[in-house]
Amino acid sequence: MLDGSDLMKIRLLRDRPTQILSPWVILPVFENSPNPPAGAGDTGLATLVGRLRDRKELTGSLGELTAIHEPAGFAAASALLVGLGPLEKWDAGAAFTAGFAASKRLAGQPRDEVALILPAVATDFPDERISALIEGITAGTRGPGLRKSEPGRYAFGTLNVVPEEGEVAGRLEALESQIRRGEIVGQAVNLARDLVNTPPADKRPEALAARIREVAQEAEVSAEVWDLARIRSERFGGLLGVAAGSSHAPAVVILEYRGAGEGPHIALVGKGVTFDSGGLSLKPSASMEDMKCDMTGAAVVAASVRAAALLKLPVNVTAYMALCENMTGGEAMKLGDVLTMRNGKTVEVLNTDAEGRLILADVLSYASERSPSRIIDLATLTGACMVALGLKVAGLLGNDDRLRDEILAACSATGERAWQLPLDEDVREALKSNVADLKNVGGKWGGAITAAKFLEQFVGDIPWAHLDIAGPAWSDSDSVTRDAGGTGCFVQTLVKFLEGSGS
Ligand code: BES
Ligand code: MN
Ligand code: ZN
């Protein structure tokens, strides 16, 4: 079933890096820099690193790992040098990658204690790069192997975070808060990844809803779960239509976090298809292999609200998640069926694999009825978006330039990538049906755009942005800096967005 991740204790330690007794110390090194690794001063290890640089055995490129045992001048038994890339390019994205690489390398066996030395290079130290480094360390200890008989990875018992000498005076509180932020956001990323990596039989809508409720309530976020009867009485025709082919009932989860008292709230909406077979418009087997990832939007939204609450951000957020399976059971919706949606619009279903827009339409209508200041939805919505932008960039569409700019600003702060696609008026044509108000598929071209155009009909006048995360939600490849499986993409960016947004 859906279990919790093992937790790592993270604490600030103000010992000299050279005197740390943890068996492993992680020492960041910059690329093309004459400086020694963070915290190495003029130790024998610093001299050795200088020689390795001269011989081009070590460059400090991003994610490069070099293990040195019995490092001269250090009390620790082993040092792991991790490349941060060049100082000019060292941003939050690079920090996450470096942290991830280092901890993934060490997390293959249980370790009571690991120390991380913080490079204190910037005048604004400690800034969000410190948080991102901790987020990366946290994410790197957690792999996709949730059902392996022997865990493939182990969270460290304790992560000791140690600033370089002499850099902490007057900045202790700021440093503590970056560490705490990194811990909370890193755990949120892992929560989203765990939910995505959970096998589909273990996260049926009801079970996933219960798990989301549980993690929300731990953070004192109020949670409401709708069952089938409630979904019927709320007339969520799109969600009911998609869920009809499954023997498992759909669910709607609504989380409310109020960090700013009375006043406007932001609505987050997540697609939560716990498995997308395509329905009667069945996917070929190879395209179905990773379709447990089709609830990433819901997982990311839930994890982000939890993080916002634990960080006590001064914002009001309401998150809506529509959960169901897209299956081929005897009651499955058929091509030519017409669904009546929450807002009264009728939709002719001409491809049951275009199910995401059907379930999102109802929650978007419901969310907009409650007059949020803006709405952001996240959905693994179209393969077309992957064709357009590749596997690492999300499509960003919407009806409001300011909201778009704020999301792009949050993206550049975290290093996650989104790119705007146009949502022009004439695209509406493509969704005209002969029998109903709309049909659920456009033509052959611009599929990410027609999907978003469909969603737009359900948000009224509310400023709205849609992130199509079909590409970045999932990774096929496993590498030093990345795991295969769910990525937890856009948790970091949503948290950043909520931090910068007084609703
Ligand atoms: N969940 C898929 C989109 C998807 C594809 C996500 C690959 C992640 C990886 C979505 O429900 C879907 O099937 N979309 C169809 C829409 C089409 C039928 C108009 C698609 O993209 O093929
Ligand atoms: Mn589909
Ligand atoms: Zn889908």
Side-chain angles (χ1 to χ4, degrees), residues 381 397-398 423 447-457 464 466:
L381 204 62
L397 303 98
L423 197 53
I449 295 171
T450 46
K453 200 72 192 169
F454 184 94
L455 299 181
E456 190 185 34
Q457 329 279 311
W464 156 77
H466 158 64

Side-chain angles (χ1 to χ4, degrees), residues 18-33:
T18 50
Q19 284 164 12
I20 301 286
L21 287 171
S22 311
W24 277 93
V25 284
I26 298 170
L27 302 178
V29 286
F30 284 102
E31 190 168 354
N32 302 326
S33 160

Side-chain angles (χ1 to χ4, degrees), residues 146-185:
L146 302 186
R147 296 293 182 271
K148 288 185 186 293
S149 341
E150 294 290 327
R153 301 255 268 287
Y154 301 83
F156 310 142
T158 301
L159 177 70
N160 292 315
V161 179
V162 188
E164 274 189 274
E165 286 166 82
E167 295 289 345
V168 193
R171 306 180 188 186
L172 207 56
E173 215 170 299
L175 183 54
E176 293 271 17
S177 93
Q178 288 300 337
I179 293 171
R180 173 99 181 110
R181 183 184 185 280
E183 180 175 15
I184 289 170
V185 176

Side-chain angles (χ1 to χ4, degrees), residues 271 276 283 291 294 351 353 355 380-383 386 441 470:
K271 171 178 173 181
D276 183 8
K283 286 180 186 294
M291 278 302 124
D294 213 17
N351 189 321
D353 199 11
E355 85 296 343
T380 46
L381 204 62
T382 65
M386 303 160 76
V441 277

